[in-house]
Amino acid sequence: MFIKYRSFLNVALNFFAIAIVLTASGCASITGSKNQPVSINTICNGEPIVEASCTLINDKGSWYVKTPGSVMIQKAYGDLAVDCKKGDAVASDKFKSKSNGGVWGNILAGGVIGYAVDAKSGAGFDYPSTMTVVLPPPCPGKETQVPASAKK
């Protein structure tokens, strides 16, 4: 009888140990943040453009920032659209959301349901921490400058 109880106890302890490891390694919606700071830069002809107004949009909301600058956004499963404007120069870009490590733990612990929770909350996904949007020429602030060789 004592041997059967001890065997049951070992199985139970192993089960709980595995459950703790799976839980601690995953579930991004519990262990991870639903928010992420991102930095936005704008360039034109390889030169940085300051004070461009940018709007960031995903399925969780929209945020505004002047470049170069940073803003805290809510993460989402879908792409992040970034629209920037300075003067007549307008540019748009999309940045992909990629799964982070927490989502894999949630898949192991919760299967499809765990993945769905992370996808809905956005916690299991990240955007690039720094994003650069390229404005087309003529570059803002540069179009009215006269080359030094033309000045007399």
Side-chain angles (χ1 to χ4, degrees):
M1 174 85 169
F2 180 71
I3 294 174
K4 286 184 180 181
Y5 174 74
R6 195 164 185 176
S7 177
F8 171 77
L9 187 59
N10 283 341
V11 169
L13 286 174
N14 286 336
F15 173 78
F16 285 118
I18 290 170
I20 288 171
V21 167
L22 287 175
T23 302
S25 69
C27 200
S29 54
I30 294 173
T31 62
S33 174
K34 295 176 186 173
N35 298 317
Q36 176 186 349
V38 295
S39 296
I40 306 295
N41 298 301
T42 47
I43 61 170
C44 182
N45 285 341
E47 296 291 322
I49 301 297
V50 297
E51 295 296 311
S53 298
C54 297
T55 304
L56 293 71
I57 301 170
N58 67 17
D59 60 340
K60 299 294 182 183
S62 58
W63 301 267
Y64 306 93
V65 66
K66 292 250 186 195
T67 62
S70 296
V71 64
M72 184 70 73
I73 63 169
Q74 190 171 348
K75 299 191 285 187
Y77 173 78
D79 295 345
L80 181 70
V82 180
D83 301 317
C84 295
K85 177 179 178 158
K86 180 158 184 183
D88 291 333
V90 178
S92 297
D93 208 343
K94 286 195 183 228
F95 297 90
K96 296 236 178 254
S97 171
K98 295 185 179 172
S99 62
N100 60 32
V103 77
W104 298 112
N106 207 1
I107 289 171
L108 290 174
V112 174
I113 294 171
Y115 181 81
V117 168
D118 281 349
K120 183 170 174 33
S121 72
F125 299 87
D126 292 322
Y127 294 108
S129 59
T130 302
M131 303 171 206
T132 300
V133 177
V134 179
L135 296 171
C139 298
K142 310 273 185 192
E143 64 274 355
T144 58
Q145 291 180 350
V146 178
S149 61
K151 293 181 183 178
K152 302 238 176 188

